[in-house]
C-alpha cells in the first residue's frame, strides 16, 4: 500500500492489526503448548478489535486530519511482514510470544510518535496522540492478561 496521507495511515494500521491477528494464529497453530495457543487466540482477538478501533478513526476524524500528508511514513522503520506465517512462533513460550507482540507494537508506536513529531501543528496531531494512547492501552491490557495467564 502506498501511504501518502493520514487517512492512508489509518487504513494501513487497521489492516496491519487484522493481518497480525491472522499471522499470530496461523504461526502458533502447530504448537503443542495449549497455553501458548490460548494466549495467541487472546492476542489475535485483541488485534482484531484494535483493527476495528483504528478503522473507526477514519469515520470520526475530520477530512483535514485524514488529509494531512505524510509521505515518509514507512521509509524510517519498516514493520515485520505478516503475510506469511512464521513456523518458529509455534515454538515460543508465552513470554517470548508476548515479547514479539510487544516489540511489534513498540515499532508501531515509534512510527506514530515520529509522525506526531512531524505534524505537531497540523489537524492530525490530536488523532496521532489518540492512536498512540489506544496502542499503549491495548498493549498494557494484553501484557496484563498474559501475566495472569502465566499465573494459572
Amino acid at each position: 500500500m502506498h501511504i501518502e496521507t493520514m487517512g492512508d495511515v489509518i487504513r494501513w494500521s487497521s489492516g496491519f492489526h487484522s493481518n497480525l491477528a491472522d499471522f499470530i494464529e496461523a504461526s502458533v497453530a502447530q504448537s503443542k503448548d495449549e497455553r501458548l495457543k490460548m494466549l495467541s487466540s487472546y492476542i489475535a482477538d485483541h488485534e482484531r478489535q484494535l483493527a476495528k478501533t483504528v478503522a473507526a478513526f477514519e469515520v470520526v476524524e475530520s477530512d483535514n486530519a485524514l488529509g494531512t500528508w505524510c509521505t515518509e511514513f514507512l521509509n524510517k522503520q519498516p514493520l515485520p511482514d505478516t503475510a506469511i506465517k512464521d513456523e518458529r512462533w509455534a515454538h515460543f513460550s508465552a513470554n517470548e510470544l508476548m515479547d514479539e507482540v510487544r516489540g511489534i507494537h513498540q515499532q508501531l508506536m515509534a512510527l506514530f510518535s515520529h509522525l506526531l513529531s512531524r505534524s505537531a501543528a497540523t489537524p492530525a496531531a490530536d488523532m496521532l496522540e489518540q492512536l498512540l494512547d489506544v496502542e499503549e492501552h491495548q498493549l498494557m491490557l494484553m501484557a496484563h492478561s498474559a501475566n495472569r495467564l502465566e499465573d494459572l
Side-chain angles (χ1 to χ4, degrees), residues 4 12 21 30 44 56 77-79 83 105 122 125 145 151-152:
E4 294 180 339
W12 176 86
Q30 300 303 317
Q77 300 177 28
L79 287 160
H105 278 268
T122 69
S145 295
D151 290 342
L152 293 178

Side-chain angles (χ1 to χ4, degrees), residues 86-105:
D86 188 340
E87 307 270 333
R88 67 187 179 91
W89 285 51
H91 304 288
F92 282 173
S93 68
N95 286 336
E96 289 170 325
L97 175 63
M98 200 57 225
D99 287 345
E100 287 289 325
V101 170
R102 185 178 296 112
I104 291 169
H105 278 268

Side-chain angles (χ1 to χ4, degrees), residues 29-88:
Q30 300 303 317
S31 177
K32 298 198 184 331
D33 184 344
E34 289 303 317
R35 183 174 282 168
L36 182 64
K37 286 182 181 180
M38 284 175 38
L39 179 59
S40 71
S41 178
Y42 174 79
I43 291 170
D45 289 344
H46 262 279
E47 292 297 334
R48 287 186 184 97
Q49 184 58 47
L50 195 49
K52 291 176 186 174
T53 301
V54 171
F57 277 84
E58 194 168 18
V59 175
V60 299
E61 286 298 324
S62 72
D63 288 341
N64 288 341
L66 294 171
T68 301
W69 286 87
C70 57
T71 57
E72 63 185 64
F73 180 62
L74 289 176
N75 297 336
K76 299 288 182 194
Q77 300 177 28
L79 287 160
D81 180 14
T82 57
I84 302 170
K85 71 179 182 178
D86 188 340
E87 307 270 333
R88 67 187 179 91

Side-chain angles (χ1 to χ4, degrees), residues 7 16 19 26 30 32 41 67 96 133-134 141:
F16 182 80
N19 290 343
Q30 300 303 317
K32 298 198 184 331
S41 178
E96 289 170 325
D133 287 345
V134 166
L141 281 174

